[in-house]
Amino acid sequence: MAANSGGKRPRIIAIANQKGGVGKTTTTINLATALAAVDQRVLIVDLDPQGNASTGLGLRSSERDISSYDVLINGASLMEARRATAIPRLQIVPSGMDLSGAEIELVDFERREMQLKESLSRLPQDVDYVLIDCPPSLGLLTLNALVASDAVLVPLQCEFFALEGVSHLVRTIKRVKKAFNPNLEIQGIVLTMYDKRNNLSAQVASDVRDYFGDIVYRTVIPRNVRVSEAPSHGAPVLVYDIKCPGSRAYLNLASEVLKREGVKA
């Protein structure tokens, strides 16, 4: 069942964590693919200057002539910028290195934190979910994503400093909620790069669940070589190897996300 079949506005979810290397882009790509596989129409907005979500979905540089930079800075519409992918029902607004200058350029904009929200408000009602792949920082790009979103999904690596980093992000989300976006909520926290052979992974997972409770998804994304290999082939792991543990985990995560959204997969 499509969540937006009744012509409702899409549900907008930012995939955010100011720490790099925690699986934001991997989660964005594979959650989007899993949602598309159960008939949800999904648009990824690649808001990371590294453009890894675009590369990971096989989008060549020549296909990024209109990017998220143009949407934020030059007034391009999301309709102009979005590109089809090899995955049915999955489109992407690509990114490129020019986006790295947007943080500085946005400072001079009158409503600098509202640029993405205003662009998304003009998106046609042919999308069920918008997933925003945020950069690993809490600058103006991530602020634009949080102001534009209904909810935040936080990938959290199972490592020693995980709780400290996510606590900082949660404080930022509360400030954005108070100042700009009163409806913003945390959709959930997903534990990534979990190694069941490592006692530290189990301890971090336990600590995070004790601290955050039910907002932590039951699904845990394992450390899996096939997940790491997939981007170099320009494909989500769900396409690269549907049977690997990483793929099964992302399918389970999509099911949990939809359940929290009140949508039957």
Side-chain angles (χ1 to χ4, degrees):
M1 182 179 77
N4 200 19
S5 57
K8 298 177 183 176
R9 64 179 290 276
R11 179 76 166 165
I12 304 169
I13 301 176
I15 316 295
N17 189 326
Q18 76 273 19
K19 192 175 184 305
V22 300
K24 281 190 303 295
T25 298
T26 300
T27 296
T28 302
I29 290 172
N30 288 292
L31 176 58
T33 301
L35 290 171
V38 291
D39 292 332
Q40 304 301 304
R41 298 163 298 177
V42 186
L43 175 67
I44 291 175
V45 177
D46 189 350
L47 215 59
D48 188 340
Q50 297 175 86
N52 290 336
S54 306
T55 303
L57 285 168
L59 214 67
R60 297 184 297 271
S61 297
S62 60
E63 298 174 278
R64 306 183 200 183
D65 52 322
I66 303 176
S67 68
S68 53
Y69 171 86
D70 297 294
V71 172
L72 289 173
I73 303 298
N74 296 329
S77 72
L78 291 165
M79 280 290 289
E80 294 175 279
R82 64 184 182 175
R83 297 288 177 266
T85 72
I87 313 299
R89 294 176 295 280
L90 175 56
Q91 297 179 313
I92 186 169
V93 174
S95 170
M97 286 307 297
D98 53 357
L99 189 60
S100 59
E103 293 271 7
I104 298 169
E105 292 179 63
L106 280 168
V107 170
D108 294 327
F109 278 55
E110 201 168 303
R111 287 161 54 86
R112 53 183 177 267
E113 73 282 344
M114 304 292 290
Q115 297 303 304
L116 184 59
K117 180 174 184 175
E118 290 172 358
S119 296
L120 284 166
S121 71
R122 298 188 289 272
L123 186 67
Q125 294 177 341
D126 61 354
V127 174
D128 300 307
Y129 284 93
V130 176
L131 302 186
I132 307 172
D133 187 28
C134 296
S137 70
L138 293 177
L140 276 172
L141 293 177
T142 298
L143 179 59
N144 262 268
L146 296 179
V147 170
S149 295
D150 301 302
V152 187
L153 190 155
V154 184
L156 185 62
Q157 186 179 1
C158 293
E159 62 157 33
F160 184 69
F161 292 112
L163 265 176
E164 182 181 349
V166 80
S167 296
H168 186 195
L169 176 61
V170 169
R171 288 194 296 272
T172 299
I173 291 169
K174 287 179 178 177
R175 287 197 293 269
V176 171
K177 184 180 176 78
K178 185 176 180 180
F180 302 110
N181 186 358
N183 297 318
L184 185 65
E185 61 187 28
I186 298 178
Q187 216 281 347
I189 295 171
V190 58
L191 295 164
T192 63
M193 303 179 192
Y194 183 88
D195 187 346
K196 63 183 179 182
R197 302 165 299 178
N198 185 334
N199 289 335
L200 179 61
S201 282
Q203 185 60 55
V204 170
S206 176
D207 290 347
V208 171
R209 292 188 191 282
D210 286 345
Y211 189 82
F212 288 105
D214 290 342
I215 67 169
V216 183
Y217 296 106
R218 292 190 303 274
T219 300
V220 172
I221 309 300
R223 190 176 289 279
N224 180 228
V225 67
R226 304 299 272 176
V227 172
S228 302
E229 290 172 351
S232 66
H233 295 267
V237 71
L238 287 159
V239 173
Y240 181 61
D241 185 353
I242 186 65
K243 295 181 180 179
C244 77
S247 290
R248 291 197 299 270
Y250 277 114
L251 287 168
N252 290 337
L253 177 63
S255 179
E256 275 199 77
V257 168
L258 288 172
K259 187 175 180 181
R260 290 189 184 189
E261 297 288 325
V263 179
K264 292 181 180 178

